[in-house]
Amino acid sequence: MASTLQLSVWTYPWDIAEQGVPAFLGEIRDLGLNTVSLATSYHAGRFVQPRGKRRKSYFPEDGTVYFRPSPALWADAAIQPKMARQMGEDGDMLRALVDARAASGIRTSCWTVCLHNTRLGMLHPAHVARNAFGDPNWFSLCPASPDARRYARTLAKDISENYRPDVIELETPSYMGFTHGYHHEKDGVGLTPEEDFFLSICFCDHCLARAAQAGVDGEAAKRWVAEQISVALDRERPERTFPDFPAKGIAAFEAIEPLFAFLEWRDSVVTSLVGEIRQEAHPDTKVIAVSDAATWYAALDLPEVAKACDGVLLCLYGEPVAAVAAAVIGMRRAIGPEKFLGAGLRLFHPELSGPGELAEASRAAVAAGADAVNYYNYGLVPSKRLKWIAEATRSLNSLR
């Protein structure tokens, strides 16, 4: 476990720019935090800005990066990053935080979305995840694609070598679910949880070729999944076929030999990519994987992923205090005492009843073995609720 407890808040560059870096860092200190987790590669969204000075809602540019890419590192890369327009408008907030680190005492963590990128997916259709019918999931580059893997590795290499943050947080170095809050998602069928999952499983050419090299029959799995989905789409009403899913995760499909073998194999795709990212990143920058507790859809085997990098950060949004403690205890046992383990808590209404519950959840996470608590999200909650973090960090002093 880490000797110093990391206390961080996730935030966006435009929120820092609106406040101004000195005022922002002063607020971070007043909240009792010692780290900022800044979005450095991010996707589209629609955000309510309760404390915004320039606007009260914001639609960030899709699939862009919030740092200045090094041309030399990307010269021969098939998939290229795009620097966000916001950088030209507001400046380089990552550079500002890193440059202020020595004086401010506030560490910098780079919240880095790897493969969730609709803009790049549509530019590079040969490298997106595809379902059993060959239909693209545009928002997800496939982790089995060599060019997508190169993109993810180079993101971490570029950020770590040219900015030297303390930490890089890897979000979506993995597969993604079919349901993801995409623009105007519509499902008149009433997909069951298993059917929704089946539509998320990637059977692109990269996955099938890589699986075949490992001796796994991806084509058989693809045929079985296509048949299941075809039957489901022809039913008059939804009907559960695997009632133990998702409670049992992929173990619910253990009796379906080709599918289960393929799903188990997918873990190696993600784990090896995380290991490659760790290897390419600068050694002075810690690399951790960010995930919620339901990792089966993403093929994130967190104990194995933790071995491949420096640790994991579990997003435990909306979980009761007892569940937060149980999740951290279980993950600490799984990854061992030496690997970094963080807990992510969210300040959204109505997930928390008040500052007391946030403080209790924070204490529970640290007492259970967490090295860090990250709070979500600086710019998305009102000032009065943001101050709950200060009560939580004060309460953690009793555990030190």
Side-chain angles (χ1 to χ4, degrees):
M1 294 178 63
S3 58
T4 301
L5 183 64
Q6 175 183 298
L7 298 171
S8 186
V9 64
W10 281 295
T11 192
Y12 301 109
W14 50 88
D15 291 322
I16 298 176
E18 281 204 336
Q19 301 299 322
V21 173
F24 170 78
L25 291 173
E27 190 172 12
I28 294 301
R29 282 191 294 269
D30 290 344
L31 291 172
L33 302 170
N34 56 28
T35 307
V36 173
S37 294
L38 178 67
T40 46
S41 172
Y42 209 67
H43 49 72
R46 186 225 65 187
F47 302 148
V48 176
Q49 302 287 112
R51 294 179 295 115
K53 296 179 180 179
R54 292 181 290 188
R55 56 198 160 228
K56 295 303 180 185
S57 66
Y58 188 56
F59 290 78
E61 190 178 1
D62 190 14
T64 56
V65 299
Y66 297 89
F67 67 92
R68 298 189 187 280
S70 170
L73 290 176
W74 295 95
D76 61 345
I79 300 177
Q80 297 271 337
K82 179 185 178 184
M83 191 175 74
R85 289 191 296 270
Q86 185 269 340
M87 291 273 293
E89 297 165 359
D90 294 329
D92 189 340
M93 294 298 104
L94 176 56
R95 178 62 64 195
L97 290 183
V98 170
D99 287 350
R101 183 169 45 188
S104 70
I106 304 298
R107 296 192 290 270
T108 305
S109 185
C110 290
W111 172 22
T112 306
V113 175
C114 298
L115 301 180
H116 173 26
N117 195 311
T118 306
R119 185 187 68 82
L120 287 178
M122 290 187 166
L123 282 174
H124 302 280
H127 303 287
V128 296
R130 292 182 178 269
N131 65 27
F133 300 94
D135 307 322
N137 283 342
W138 293 116
F139 52 78
S140 178
L141 294 171
C142 178
S145 158
D147 286 335
R149 292 168 78 90
R150 162 75 187 276
Y151 174 77
R153 292 196 308 267
T154 310
L155 277 182
K157 183 179 181 67
D158 199 347
I159 293 167
S160 62
E161 288 191 352
N162 292 303
Y163 288 85
R164 300 290 173 86
D166 299 274
V167 183
I168 291 178
E169 304 170 13
L170 303 176
E171 181 178 322
T172 64
S174 57
Y175 297 97
M176 293 183 65
F178 179 63
T179 298
H180 189 69
Y182 195 71
H183 191 55
H184 294 312
E185 288 184 348
K186 296 182 187 294
D187 165 24
V189 175
L191 294 171
T192 65
E194 57 267 33
E195 291 154 6
D196 185 271
F197 177 56
F198 293 159
L199 281 169
S200 78
I201 301 172
C202 181
F203 294 102
C204 73
D205 291 344
H206 303 292
C207 280
L208 293 175
R210 195 175 177 111
Q213 290 171 0
V216 174
D217 190 351
E219 293 285 0
K222 178 181 177 179
R223 289 192 297 271
W224 186 91
V225 168
E227 176 63 22
Q228 291 294 304
I229 296 172
S230 295
V231 170
L233 297 182
D234 196 43
R235 290 193 184 104
E236 184 177 4
R237 292 181 177 84
E239 181 181 315
R240 292 300 306 268
T241 51
F242 291 88
D244 291 338
F245 183 83
K248 291 180 66 175
I250 66 169
F253 311 114
E254 196 166 4
I256 315 301
E257 185 176 344
L259 176 62
F260 187 66
F262 186 76
L263 295 176
E264 284 197 309
W265 162 81
R266 297 197 320 160
D267 291 352
S268 67
V269 176
V270 176
T271 300
S272 62
L273 174 56
V274 172
E276 291 170 13
I277 293 171
R278 171 60 279 178
Q279 187 173 4
E280 294 231 4
H282 194 279
D284 290 347
T285 297
K286 185 179 297 179
V287 175
I288 64 173
V290 180
S291 176
D292 57 24
T295 59
W296 40 263
Y297 69 90
L300 272 166
D301 182 341
L302 289 182
E304 291 300 313
V305 165
K307 293 177 185 176
C309 63
D310 297 300
V312 298
L313 197 161
L314 278 180
C315 295
L316 301 168
Y317 302 159
E319 296 287 351
V321 172
V324 169
V328 174
I329 288 171
M331 190 53 61
R332 175 56 73 195
R333 287 174 179 164
I335 68 175
E338 301 303 320
K339 291 291 184 176
F340 176 93
L341 175 58
L345 304 176
R346 186 162 64 181
L347 281 76
F348 284 13
H349 179 79
E351 294 175 7
L352 294 167
S353 60
E357 186 178 3
L358 181 64
E360 190 178 358
S362 301
R363 289 194 304 271
V366 174
D371 301 308
V373 182
N374 273 42
Y375 298 99
Y376 190 94
N377 175 292
Y378 173 83
L380 300 182
V381 296
S383 295
K384 291 178 181 178
R385 199 182 312 159
L386 189 69
K387 291 176 181 177
W388 294 2
I389 293 174
E391 182 167 328
T393 58
R394 282 194 299 269
S395 77
L396 289 171
N397 290 329
S398 62
L399 298 177
R400 298 185 185 183

